[in-house]
Amino acid sequence: MQTLRCGRFTLTLDRVLVMGVINVTPDSFSDGGRHDTPRAALEHAQALITEGADLLDIGGESTRPGAQPVSEAEEIRRIVPVLDALRDCGRPLSVDTRRPAVMRAALEHGADLINDIEALRAPGALEAVRDSDCGVCLMHMLGQPGTMQQAPHYDEVVGEVEDFLAARVAAALEAGIARERIIVDPGIGFGKTVAHNLMLLAALDELVALGQPVLIGVSRKSMIGKLTGRETGHRLPGSLSAMLAAVQRGAAIVRVHDVAATCDALRVWQAIGQAGG
Ligand code: HH2
């Protein structure tokens, strides 16, 4: 059975794990401004754990298309009190950051996983995580959040994303990060059109074949809005559908805002799978 080393935790991947999102940002696309004090974040975390979250992903910088970067100091100021407040919540704490200084601060304050939309490409990022025992999520992104949705182009999206992730896994291994610590993610919506996202989801088994657990984030994303014509708050049915399509093709971890509904959907999906033997 595949396991994932994740700081204080070793997670067994014998069922799909649900990562609940806690954005401590004023401007995230789906829940911006709602959990941006440690107290509000703690309450939100407790609710997500009760709903069934296996991990919590804390983000201090919005990476929605067109988002403006925040300063490193501000990102640390947002993240650290939340990590301190959640430290003993019993779930692995992931920090969504691409800055080495934020990674170091997060690890000092008990983060178990570094979730990096830049796949540890920033100078010093591999070194920042190498000597800890944290998990790392290496995500594919074409371009930068501010401009990534301006006409993204690929000759062959699945192959290019696969080659990128394979190269980043190799770089992480080379830096001394054990294979059991590494997750990969095609980065749905990060420098991709709806057609690119759909092709990546449809061919997810090709990324699963890399041998690392695959994380997928589709929750409430604009792809769901474009396919259904729904605003952010009304994208749950579409998000669940995309999530199940991803787990059907081998996704190991799903990053979601709606934890209770996701757990229900997974329970039914898994029961059907088990009945099939
Ligand atoms: N998506 C978002 C942020 N971080 N990390 C991974 N590994 N995979 C994803 O698909 C992913 C991610 C964007 O979603 P959200 O956090 O809700 O929005 P914002 O970036 O505006 O905070």
Side-chain angles (χ1 to χ4, degrees):
M1 182 50 61
Q2 199 172 21
T3 57
L4 176 69
R5 252 164 61 203
C6 204
R8 298 165 294 166
F9 299 80
T10 298
L11 305 176
T12 306
L13 302 174
D14 54 351
R15 63 176 175 83
V16 178
L17 299 182
V18 176
M19 172 185 264
V21 178
I22 303 180
N23 282 319
V24 253
T25 54
D27 57 347
S28 286
F29 80 93
S30 66
D31 58 355
R34 284 177 45 197
H35 317 297
D36 58 355
T37 65
R39 191 192 172 83
L42 180 60
E43 281 171 15
H44 186 49
Q46 280 162 344
L48 295 184
I49 290 170
T50 306
E51 290 177 22
D54 298 294
L55 306 99
L56 300 172
D57 188 41
I58 303 157
E61 178 198 27
S62 175
T63 48
R64 78 189 142 76
Q68 294 306 311
V70 293
S71 76
E72 200 169 84
E74 173 62 13
E75 200 182 337
I76 292 173
R77 194 195 62 74
R78 291 177 183 175
I79 292 284
V80 160
V82 176
L83 278 172
D84 290 342
L86 299 190
R87 196 173 193 135
D88 296 320
C89 74
R91 296 291 183 280
L93 301 176
S94 163
V95 170
D96 190 340
T97 186
R98 46 203 179 125
R99 294 202 170 101
V102 181
M103 295 173 192
R104 288 184 191 278
L107 291 169
E108 277 166 25
H109 287 265
D112 299 292
L113 194 151
I114 298 297
N115 172 24
D116 183 3
I117 61 165
E118 284 186 5
L120 302 176
R121 280 181 291 160
L126 286 164
E127 293 76 10
V129 300
R130 180 181 55 198
D131 297 328
S132 78
D133 205 24
C134 69
V136 295
C137 180
L138 307 176
M139 197 194 83
H140 177 272
M141 171 171 65
L142 185 67
Q144 285 294 310
T147 50
M148 66 190 176
Q149 290 307 102
Q150 295 169 8
H153 173 78
Y154 301 82
D155 289 327
E156 206 277 289
V157 66
V158 177
E160 287 174 43
V161 170
E162 186 179 339
D163 289 349
F164 171 88
L165 292 175
R168 293 315 299 160
V169 171
L173 293 171
E174 172 86 1
I177 299 170
R179 189 175 281 288
E180 302 73 48
R181 293 173 57 195
I182 305 174
I183 303 167
V184 295
D185 180 343
I188 297 299
F190 285 85
K192 287 147 193 121
T193 62
V194 173
H196 295 141
N197 292 325
L198 292 174
M199 281 188 264
L200 284 163
L201 287 166
L204 202 66
D205 43 353
E206 292 183 34
L207 302 183
V208 172
L210 289 171
Q212 301 305 130
V214 172
L215 186 149
I216 280 287
V218 284
S219 178
R220 302 183 187 173
K221 283 194 175 166
S222 71
M223 172 189 107
I224 307 295
K226 289 195 179 119
L227 291 170
T228 60
R230 305 281 181 199
E231 292 305 319
T232 314
H234 300 276
R235 295 180 185 167
L236 179 56
S239 300
L240 293 175
S241 171
M243 182 276 295
L244 286 177
V247 300
Q248 187 80 44
R249 291 164 177 79
I253 306 173
V254 292
R255 181 184 180 277
V256 302
H257 303 88
D258 302 287
V259 169
T262 300
C263 290
D264 280 1
L266 284 171
R267 248 177 236 124
V268 174
W269 178 83
Q270 271 157 351
I272 295 169
Q274 281 159 7

